[in-house]
């Protein structure tokens, strides 16, 4: 006598069993009905990680050529600038904690007055105090009224508060158009503008960009081409090239023998505190990892 096959309903799928044949419903849920050994589970996990790791490596390798290709077109430049803003963080602004840290940096190095006759700023007030909190008396006379500081006298200049000194820093921030650059380069532009003037800062930047192979002209004036080149460049390489050029320029000055040590110490303190962060690269790798995860999801399902 023949007996009908026993029909069971395992959780998640139908399975029809007899003593020799097992039938399973052919759809996505049949995978859930298959019991795997611990070894096979480990193999599946290993395959999953291997596929995703290889995908991430390939995407990272491809990022360089893709990056270079995008820079050859105006459309690509715009999209790449947007993506890098997402990957590496927002531009510098005067409301950020980074800016507040920079203000403390300036006040630490220039929080006192100076009457040194060998300083070029001595011409602003011969025989007396010509610099207070990094602000020269010439700069004070030129911009005090615009910044709401009065009266414009030497006595008032000597009473300059930290908050009022910050107003001058923000003025240099605006003149250097620092807000159009990413954090480390934007702050570098302010630092050099504060010490040597905006045109010197721009020349240092443009010279550094040219040495990195970027198609910019050294004019001492900021243009959109310079801004795009700076924002699209590798920030660590540009930062290093900028400060190398900055030090080369300082060493060419006749006062290097007098101020060289102080300039070098201040530069080292700035670099130690405001160099580009590796956080941007972490964010970029995370984004690429997410793309790899999604792109390989169907492949991984087939290995289960």
């Amino acid at each position: 006598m023949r007996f009908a096959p026993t029909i069971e309903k395992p959780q998640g799928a139908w399975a029809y069993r007899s003593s020799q044949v097992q039938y399973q419903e052919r759809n996505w849920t049949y995978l859930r009905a298959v019991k795997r050994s611990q070894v096979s589970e480990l193999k599946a996990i290993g395959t999953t990680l291997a596929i995703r790791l290889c995908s991430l490596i390939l995407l990272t390798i491809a990022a360089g050529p893709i990056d270079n290709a995008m820079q050859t077109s105006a459309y690509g430049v715009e999209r790449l600038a947007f993506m890098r803003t997402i990957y590496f963080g927002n531009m510098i602004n005067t409301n950020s904690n980074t800016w507040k840290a920079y203000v403390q940096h300036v006040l630490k190095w220039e929080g006192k007055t100076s009457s040194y006759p060998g300083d070029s700023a001595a011409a602003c007030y011969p025989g007396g105090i010509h610099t207070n909190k990094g602000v020269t008396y010439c700069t004070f006379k030129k911009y005090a009224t615009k910044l709401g500081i009065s009266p414009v006298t030497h006595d008032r200049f000597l009473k300059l508060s930290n908050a009022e000194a910050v107003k001058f820093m923000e003025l240099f921030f605006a003149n250097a158009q620092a807000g159009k650059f990413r954090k480390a380069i934007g702050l570098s532009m302010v630092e050099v503008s504060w010490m040597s003037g905006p045109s010197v800062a721009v020349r240092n930047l443009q010279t550094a960009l040219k040495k990195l192979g970027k198609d910019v002209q050294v004019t001492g004036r900021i243009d959109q081409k310079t801004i795009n080149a700076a924002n699209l460049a590798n920030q660590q390489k540009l930062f290093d090239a900028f400060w190398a050029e900055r030090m080369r320029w300082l060493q060419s000055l006749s006062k290097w023998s007098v101020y060289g040590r102080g300039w070098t110490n201040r530069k080292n303190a700035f670099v130690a505190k405001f160099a580009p962060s590796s956080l941007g690269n972490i964010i970029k790798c995370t984004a690429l990892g997410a793309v790899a995860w999604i792109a390989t999801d169907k492949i991984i399902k087939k290995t289960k």
Side-chain angles (χ1 to χ4, degrees):
M1 175 182 282
R2 291 179 178 275
F3 295 95
T6 301
I7 299 177
E8 299 177 0
K9 185 180 180 182
Q11 185 178 1
W14 283 94
Y16 301 89
R17 294 186 179 181
S18 66
S19 59
Q20 296 179 349
V21 182
Q22 175 178 309
Y23 297 96
Q24 294 178 322
E25 187 180 24
R26 293 183 180 279
N27 55 35
W28 285 108
T29 62
Y30 86 93
L31 291 173
R32 301 298 181 186
V34 178
K35 293 183 178 179
R36 293 181 178 272
S37 68
Q38 187 175 5
V39 174
S40 63
E41 286 289 352
L42 291 175
K43 286 182 179 179
I45 293 172
T47 302
T48 298
L49 294 176
I51 292 175
R52 286 176 173 165
L53 179 60
C54 289
S55 300
L56 177 57
I57 292 173
L58 290 173
L59 282 170
T60 303
I61 293 172
I66 292 172
D67 184 273
N68 292 334
M70 291 183 74
Q71 292 191 51
T72 61
S73 69
Y75 177 85
V77 166
E78 291 179 1
R79 296 305 176 271
L80 192 58
F82 172 75
M83 287 192 295
R84 287 197 169 180
T85 299
I86 297 298
Y87 289 158
F88 295 96
N90 295 328
M91 307 307 180
I92 184 65
N93 63 75
T94 55
N95 294 319
S96 66
N97 290 331
T98 304
W99 173 255
K100 293 175 183 177
Y102 176 71
V103 167
Q104 295 306 312
H105 164 81
V106 175
L107 293 176
K108 175 184 176 180
W109 285 93
E110 298 193 281
K112 300 179 181 179
T113 59
S114 174
S115 58
Y116 180 62
D119 194 334
S120 58
C124 297
Y125 197 80
I129 295 174
H130 50 70
T131 303
N132 185 12
K133 302 182 189 299
V135 180
T136 67
Y137 187 49
C138 289
T139 299
F140 177 82
K141 290 189 295 183
K142 184 175 182 179
Y143 295 110
T145 300
K146 179 180 179 179
L147 297 176
I149 302 172
S150 62
V152 185
T153 63
H154 190 260
D155 287 341
R156 181 67 180 84
F157 168 70
L158 295 179
K159 297 175 182 178
L160 196 67
S161 68
N162 286 349
E164 290 169 338
V166 170
K167 291 183 179 182
F168 285 92
M169 295 180 206
E170 291 173 347
L171 181 65
F172 277 82
F173 180 98
N175 289 342
Q177 299 187 48
K180 296 181 180 180
F181 296 94
R182 284 152 63 181
K183 290 181 180 179
I185 299 304
L187 280 183
S188 296
M189 293 292 288
V190 179
E191 175 77 346
V192 176
S193 295
W194 182 259
M195 296 180 67
S196 305
S199 63
V200 173
V202 178
R203 285 181 178 277
N204 288 167
L205 176 63
Q206 290 171 333
T207 302
L209 286 168
K210 283 188 71 69
K211 290 183 176 180
L212 291 178
K214 305 301 181 182
D215 182 22
V216 297
Q217 299 299 317
V218 182
T219 62
R221 298 186 302 276
I222 294 179
D223 53 30
Q224 193 59 46
K225 195 170 186 179
T226 298
I227 294 169
N228 287 343
N231 288 336
L232 294 177
N234 179 296
Q235 293 299 282
Q236 185 62 63
K237 290 182 179 179
L238 179 57
F239 185 82
D240 293 342
F242 178 93
W243 282 99
E245 177 58 26
R246 169 63 177 167
M247 295 308 293
R248 186 203 63 76
W249 185 85
L250 287 174
Q251 290 167 6
S252 70
L253 301 178
S254 60
K255 296 295 181 67
W256 173 257
S257 59
V258 178
Y259 297 112
R261 174 182 283 186
W263 289 338
T264 301
N265 290 340
R266 177 165 175 166
K267 172 257 184 184
N268 291 339
F270 180 92
V271 169
K273 196 163 190 176
F274 302 109
S277 170
S278 59
L279 178 61
N281 292 328
I282 294 173
I283 295 174
K284 183 175 182 179
C285 288
T286 302
L288 289 174
V291 172
W293 189 279
I294 295 170
T296 60
D297 194 54
K298 288 188 177 181
I299 298 174
I300 293 165
K301 284 182 178 179
K302 292 180 181 180
T303 69
K304 293 183 178 181

